[in-house]
Amino acid sequence: MVKEGQREPLLEIRRVTRRFGALVALDNVSFSIGKGEIFGIAGPNGSGKSTLFNVITGIPFGPSEGEVILSGRPIHRLRPHEISRAGVLRTFQKDAEFATLTARENVYASAVYCGQMSSAEAKDAAERALDDVMLAKEHRTKSASNLSVFERKQLMIASAIAGRPKVLLLDEPAAGLTKPEVSGLSDLISAVHARGITIVLIEHVLPLLLKVSKHLMILNHGAVIASGEPEDVVRNPEVVEAYLGKREAGL
Ligand code: ADP
Ligand code: MG
């Protein structure tokens, strides 16, 4: 594995703060994500995880203070569609597909919009993305609302990778999945990563995070309380107290 000091940063978050009135949802957060990494993020509910994805993508808002740098270029003043076209794409905790369009049409729309492709290119890119997430051919003509929970996850990831991101931000993709499906999702994430896409994974399902992440960062009350090798991070007493302890207590 590449050592911390040697990794080439793809995405850098520098002293990012996000306020909502008096609430500080992100408090002076700095970290960097290496090219080709799978970077895991965990933390209790309300710790600022989704807000972090919001400020990186500008969807629906950017940071109050601080900078977001992609491949050495500041992106935090760009508009959301410019950020996605620069190569940062995200998924959402809630279903965000067009329910009445077919799976294939959804992925195609994403390729056209985010990947800025011609119609023919987008058709190819959509089919390749659907192959990559292994969505069975017979499901591709179904409307998104008729897909199963796992198939909608496949669709969500296919829609994101069809736009050819450099970095893909996944916000709790395992939510609502059964244990065997979580294992299927882990294979999907590995397959996307194998295509050369850097991945940032917010997740509550710790075994999934530990299985796929090379680096793990923990947020608590909008601040980074631990960051490093996943196995070390989950043994950190502050992390156990803030997060794992609560989980064990069923909170
Ligand atoms: P997480 O994803 O870690 O569960 P969030 O990033 O969604 O947490 O939220 C962090 C904090 O910011 C929470 O206290 C939440 O209520 C608050 N928050 C998030 N978005 C908004 C918003 N648009 N307006 C006001 N408060 C918000
Ligand atoms: Mg969240």
Side-chain angles (χ1 to χ4, degrees):
M1 212 181 85
V2 181
K3 291 226 165 59
E4 182 82 10
Q6 299 167 331
R7 59 209 251 284
E8 182 188 339
L10 177 63
L11 188 65
E12 295 169 77
I13 311 304
R14 296 185 186 159
R15 299 177 303 279
V16 161
T17 291
R18 175 71 216 192
R19 294 191 189 85
F20 298 108
L23 176 81
V24 186
L26 287 175
D27 189 5
N28 199 23
V29 169
S30 295
F31 63 96
S32 73
I33 294 164
K35 197 171 174 191
E37 251 177 5
I38 301 184
F39 189 102
I41 300 176
N45 275 334
S47 56
K49 304 180 299 296
S50 296
T51 300
L52 184 59
F53 280 6
N54 294 343
V55 302
I56 293 171
T57 56
I59 307 170
F61 46 68
S64 309
E65 285 163 33
E67 300 174 326
V68 181
I69 313 285
L70 177 71
S71 305
R73 174 178 168 229
I75 58 168
H76 52 277
R77 287 198 196 88
L78 300 180
R79 286 176 293 169
H81 72 275
E82 294 170 323
I83 296 173
S84 58
R85 287 170 187 173
V88 184
L89 291 180
R90 71 174 297 182
T91 64
F92 292 88
Q93 277 181 266
K94 287 191 195 151
D95 286 343
E97 70 274 343
F98 300 110
T100 56
L101 296 187
T102 67
R104 186 173 273 134
E105 287 164 347
N106 264 282
V107 184
Y108 171 81
S110 176
V112 169
Y113 181 74
C114 300
Q116 286 188 289
M117 293 173 207
S118 69
S119 166
E121 272 180 318
K123 269 193 187 138
D124 281 353
E127 222 50 39
R128 222 172 322 123
L130 288 162
D131 289 343
D132 284 341
V133 301
M134 296 164 275
L135 185 70
K137 288 260 193 305
E138 66 265 29
H139 298 319
R140 297 183 188 182
T141 49
K142 281 188 185 170
S143 64
S145 56
N146 286 331
L147 297 175
S148 71
V149 174
F150 188 77
E151 288 156 5
R152 282 209 296 277
K153 304 283 181 183
Q154 290 173 294
L155 173 59
M156 172 181 92
I157 294 174
S159 297
I161 62 176
R164 296 199 186 133
K166 291 186 180 127
V167 52
L168 174 60
L169 314 179
L170 297 170
D171 196 350
E172 295 194 26
L177 296 183
T178 62
K179 248 190 180 170
E181 286 172 337
V182 170
S183 162
L185 177 69
S186 161
D187 294 342
L188 262 183
I189 292 171
S190 301
V192 171
H193 181 242
R195 280 188 42 154
I197 298 172
T198 300
I199 292 174
V200 189
L201 174 64
I202 290 177
E203 193 47 76
H204 264 304
V205 178
L206 217 52
L208 173 64
L209 263 185
L210 292 174
K211 187 170 169 202
V212 302
S213 308
K214 294 284 170 290
H215 190 105
L216 182 61
M217 181 177 93
I218 309 289
L219 284 175
N220 194 27
H221 298 302
V224 177
I225 58 165
S227 189
E229 295 264 342
E231 297 298 332
D232 296 339
V233 166
V234 291
R235 282 197 292 264
N236 176 315
E238 203 181 341
V239 172
V240 173
E241 163 74 22
Y243 179 52
L244 305 170
K246 281 186 190 167
R247 281 174 65 88
E248 271 161 25
L251 297 172

